[in-house]
Each structure stands twice: as C-alpha cells, then as structure tokens.
Amino acid sequence: MADGPTVRIKREDELLPPPDSGRRDSAVTARIRALWGFAAIVLVLVAGRIWVAPWVHLRSLDAWATVFVAICVQALPFLVFGVTLSAAITAFVPASFFNRVLPRRPAAAVPVAGIVGAVLPGCECASVPVAGGLMARGVAPSAALTFLLAAPAINPVVLVATAVAFPRNPEMVLGRFLASIIVAVLAGWLWLRFGKGDWLKIPARPHGDGVGRGERFRQAMRHDIMHAGGFLVVGGIAAATINVIVPADWISGLAGISWLSILTLAVLAVLMSICSEADAFVAASLTQFSPTAKLAFLVVGPMVDLKLIALQSGLFGPRFALRFVPLTFVLAITVSALIGWGLL
C-alpha cells in the first residue's frame, strides 16, 4: 500500500515532458519561421529580378542604387572596426578605470570625461548603458552625461571616418571635434548647475552574471553590429532618396537659406538615427547643403536621435529625456553654426 502512490507519481513524472522542452520547441519554431521568412525574401527578390527589372529603365533608379551602394561600401569597414573596439571596451575595460581617471570634483570631472569619451570608441547605443553604469558606480551624473555625448561623437574611429568622407575638406574633422567637445562639456556643466536629482533616475549598480569576458565581447559585438548595420542601411536609403527623388530646385532653394539648411539637416539627423561611424559618408553625399549645415548634421546625430531618445527615456526616465534632449539639441545647433561660420 505504501508503494502505490510512489509508483503512481513516478509514472506520472515519466509522462511529463522535460522542463526545457518548451524552450527547445520555441527555439525550433523561431528558427523555422526565420528560415521561411528568409526564403520568402529570396523569392520576392528573384521574382523582381525576373519579371520587374527588365521593365525598369530609369536613370534615377540607377543613380539611387549607385549612391546607396557607395555610402554602404565606404562606411562598412569603419562600422565594423568601431563596433569591434566598442565591444572590446565593454568586455575588457574594468569599471574602476573611470573612477581612477576622473577627478572627484564634478566641475573638473566634466571636461576630463569629455576627453575620455574622445579616446574610447563607442557607438551611441553603447554610450547610454556605459553612462548609466558610471552613475551606478558613483561617478557624478554631469560627468557621465558628458561622456555619453562625447564618446560616440569624437572618438578616433569617427574622426578617421570623417576625414575619409571629406578628403578635400580636412577642416570638417577639426570642426566636428571642436563643436562636439564644446557641446558635451557645456551640457555637462549646465546639468551640474541646473539639474535636479529627481529629474534623473540613476540605474541600480549592476551585478555580475557569471558571463565570461569572451562571451560578453561576442554579445556586445553581435548587438552593436546588428543595430548599427541596420541604421546604416536606413541612413543610406534616406540619403540616396534625398539625392535622387526630391526635386533639385526645391533642395537648392532650401539649401540656399543658411539658417534653414542648418535646421533641416539637424532635424534630419534626429530622424535618420545613423550610427556615428557611418554618418560622415551620408553627410558628404548631401552635396546640395553647405559645410556648416553638414557640420550640424554630424554634431546633432550622435547626440540626439530617435534611438537615443528611446534609450535615455528607458534608462534614466522620461523626466530626464524631456529636459536633456532639448538642451542638447539647442546646444548642438548653436555651437555647430558658430564653429561652421567661423571655420568652414
């Protein structure tokens, strides 16, 4: 009698699926769906090549494809290199490094954080969680925010990519560096002076999850390349469309108005949300606009765009984003216009 319930329980356990069977089934289902989706895309491309392409003989389409491919091919090496360095910093640079190099006084830590951001490569997506980690480890928010703005805007990979994109206009590199570092430092100092503690939600101190450095590098590399590569393609499409579809007379008229052209490219930088390792090639392709307007595009983009607004709102809270984003946007436009008019 005593063995009856035990036998019944064992038999019921034998009938139950393993605890991880649902996860395996869902993973297999996801792979099958991805495979079918990829196959559908291939079929659509093949059908378009066979039945649609022979009927398309538009010079504008050829020009669009040429501009798009040129932007992506030029930017891809710098994008991969920048993402690799960013992932290496995420995985191998200890958090204590920043506490050692930053002064204890917040006012002095702000410009030093800007210089550190200029030395360490990283894309916009990586700078937000890094800044949150710095705050969680006791770094002054004003210094962490300065790092957030400077790191993706003026790191060595971005400056080299800008020099390659503007080979006949080397002062664009200097203008981008000066305008971006000034905006980052001013934003940090203004937040130190006027920012309030209840406007900013400081993330909790991160705990180790037992993942090795090699795995962290792989995860960061995969995340950054997927996001940055996608934004590069979107930016290339938008830039090629602007160059080909938008009437040249309208663009010439808009680009001819100094202040309006600067504001237009600043807003375009926010909407396009291009990775900072690739935005110089998109800016160089906008030949209708003045160098100062292009500089505003390069300064605004890495500091204020749609994906950054979403990341900042999610990590630091919407009250922070509602105040910090407009502050950065106004500073970026003003400083880039002044630097551009005086240097370019």
Side-chain angles (χ1 to χ4, degrees):
M1 296 294 294
D3 296 338
T6 305
V7 173
R8 243 190 338 265
I9 292 174
K10 288 182 179 180
R11 288 176 180 175
E12 290 176 359
D13 289 344
E14 291 174 354
L15 295 176
L16 294 176
D20 59 346
S21 62
R23 290 193 292 269
R24 287 203 301 265
D25 293 342
S26 60
V28 172
T29 302
R31 294 191 189 98
I32 293 175
R33 289 178 179 175
L35 181 61
W36 278 109
F38 178 76
I41 294 174
V42 172
L43 288 176
V44 170
L45 293 176
V46 171
R49 179 66 181 86
I50 296 175
W51 291 299
V52 179
W55 296 91
V56 178
H57 301 286
L58 298 177
R59 292 183 178 179
S60 58
L61 183 60
D62 293 337
W64 183 93
T66 301
V67 173
F68 171 72
V69 172
I71 292 174
C72 292
V73 170
Q74 282 184 312
L76 187 59
F78 295 95
L79 182 63
V80 173
F81 182 58
V83 167
T84 303
L85 288 177
S86 176
I89 291 170
T90 301
F92 301 112
V93 175
S96 58
F97 167 80
F98 299 98
N99 288 322
R100 290 197 301 267
V101 300
L102 293 178
R104 293 186 177 181
R105 292 182 57 191
V110 166
V112 176
I115 296 174
V116 172
V119 174
L120 298 178
C123 69
E124 303 93 297
C125 297
S127 66
V128 176
V130 170
L134 294 177
M135 294 182 195
R137 291 172 173 85
V139 175
S142 56
L145 295 176
T146 302
F147 175 87
L148 184 151
L149 297 178
I154 52 177
N155 65 69
V157 177
V158 170
L159 295 180
V160 171
T162 305
V164 174
F166 294 91
R168 299 181 181 178
N169 194 8
E171 57 270 18
M172 184 68 72
V173 180
L174 178 60
R176 181 173 196 175
F177 177 84
L178 292 177
S180 298
I181 192 66
I182 291 173
V183 171
V185 173
L186 287 178
W189 278 338
L190 288 174
W191 188 266
L192 176 63
R193 175 63 179 84
F194 299 104
K196 296 182 180 180
D198 57 353
W199 291 350
L200 176 63
K201 180 182 67 175
I202 298 179
R205 184 181 180 90
H207 299 281
D209 53 3
V211 178
R213 292 182 177 181
E215 179 63 19
R216 287 202 303 269
F217 174 81
R218 188 186 67 83
Q219 291 177 357
M221 183 75 178
R222 181 180 60 184
H223 172 273
D224 289 351
I225 197 66
M226 292 295 293
H227 282 72
F231 290 123
L232 171 61
V233 172
V234 172
I237 291 174
T241 302
I242 291 174
N243 277 272
V244 175
I245 294 182
V246 179
D249 295 339
W250 184 83
I251 288 291
S252 300
L254 185 63
I257 304 176
S258 178
W259 65 270
L260 188 57
S261 64
I262 295 174
L263 183 60
T264 299
L265 286 195
V267 173
L268 191 64
V270 176
L271 298 178
M272 292 174 69
S273 301
I274 308 172
C275 180
S276 59
E277 282 93 354
D279 59 358
F281 299 95
V282 177
S285 67
L286 302 173
T287 56
Q288 302 93 335
F289 290 87
S290 66
T292 301
K294 295 178 183 178
L295 179 62
F297 181 89
L298 298 177
V299 174
V300 171
M303 298 184 177
V304 183
D305 62 29
L306 295 180
K307 64 180 185 297
L308 277 176
I309 295 173
L311 287 171
Q312 293 175 8
S313 299
L315 191 63
F316 304 126
R319 300 184 66 184
F320 165 81
L322 287 174
R323 293 166 173 83
F324 190 72
V325 169
L327 169 66
T328 307
F329 185 74
V330 172
L331 284 176
I333 292 178
T334 303
V335 173
S336 59
L338 294 175
I339 295 293
W341 289 334
L343 182 64
L344 303 179

